[in-house]
């Protein structure tokens, strides 16, 4: 009998208890969508269990195959450096394949719109509403370029305008993007946090949205986000099977 690889979701972690609670809720949704797959959660920092501890426990149980999935929206420092470093230190008996990060994905745009509609907008409001796509920010040019491209793509789905903004490391800030959209003549302005869980930077985004008409919630355990996790898991499995059979 062939066993499916264990899915290990790797979250950053935070001192803010809302972060871990939201990530756990997302993992529960993933488990409900794919009950035949074992899903574990590990944190890089601040919270337990640690990624290292999860991997050591799996190895001690005799698990062989693992798909490690970074709970990240862009390929920035954590996906390129931190997570590979942790995985290299895993027990040698484990065969680990690192899955792609979550973004970009059309499903994430669906999740963003879900949160905007939950915050009070309707599809009829799109043509008269400017949206700030507010992300955490990064010093990685690749990550910044991805956010800008997502904003351009999202604009073509019918919004009055879409502008990217960043809570740290990059410009513009959320409040500046809100004012820009006001200046463009958008009837209303909404802020859509492109973040997975509450915390310090999402709170900064919320403060920057003070002059907006609508502030959506974080992506959190939206069903579309859970589906993206499973898409990334499924994408890593064929590569893992090919490597094993080589």
């Amino acid at each position: 009998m062939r066993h499916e690889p264990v899915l290990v979701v790797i979250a950053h972690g935070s001192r803010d208890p809302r972060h871990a609670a939201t990530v756990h809720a997302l993992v529960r949704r993933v488990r409900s969508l794919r009950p035949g797959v074992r899903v574990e959660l590990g944190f890089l920092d601040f919270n337990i269990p640690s990624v290292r501890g999860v991997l050591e426990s799996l190895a001690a149980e005799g698990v062989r195959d693992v798909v490690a999935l970074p709970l990240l929206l862009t390929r920035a420092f954590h996906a390129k450096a931190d997570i590979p470093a942790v995985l290299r230190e895993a027990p040698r008996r484990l065969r680990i394949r690192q899955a792609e990060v979550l973004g970009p994905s059309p499903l994430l745009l669906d999740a963003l719109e879900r949160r905007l509609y939950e915050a009070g907008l309707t599809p009829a409001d799109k043509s008269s509403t400017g949206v700030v796509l507010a992300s955490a920010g990064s010093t990685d040019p690749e990550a910044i370029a991805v956010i800008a491209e997502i904003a351009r793509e999202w604009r073509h789905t019918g919004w009055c305008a879409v502008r990217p903004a960043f809570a740290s490391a990059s410009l513009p800030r959320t409040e500046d993007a809100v004012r820009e959209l006001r200046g463009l003549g958008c009837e209303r302005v909404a802020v859509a946090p492109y973040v997975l869980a509450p915390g310090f930077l999402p709170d900064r985004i919320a403060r920057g949205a003070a002059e907006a008409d609508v502030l959506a919630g974080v992506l959190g355990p939206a069903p579309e986000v859970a589906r993206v996790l499973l898409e990334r898991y499924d994408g890593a499995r064929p590569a893992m099977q090919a490597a094993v059979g080589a």
Side-chain angles (χ1 to χ4, degrees), residues 177-194:
V178 168
R179 293 178 189 125
E180 180 186 355
L181 291 172
R182 291 277 188 220
L184 289 176
C186 296
E187 186 175 314
R188 67 185 64 77
V189 175
V191 174
Y194 190 59

Side-chain angles (χ1 to χ4, degrees), residues 73-91:
L73 295 171
T74 59
R75 263 184 51 81
F77 180 79
H78 293 303
K80 295 176 180 178
D82 282 0
I83 291 175
V86 171
L87 297 182
R88 283 194 296 270
E89 297 174 357

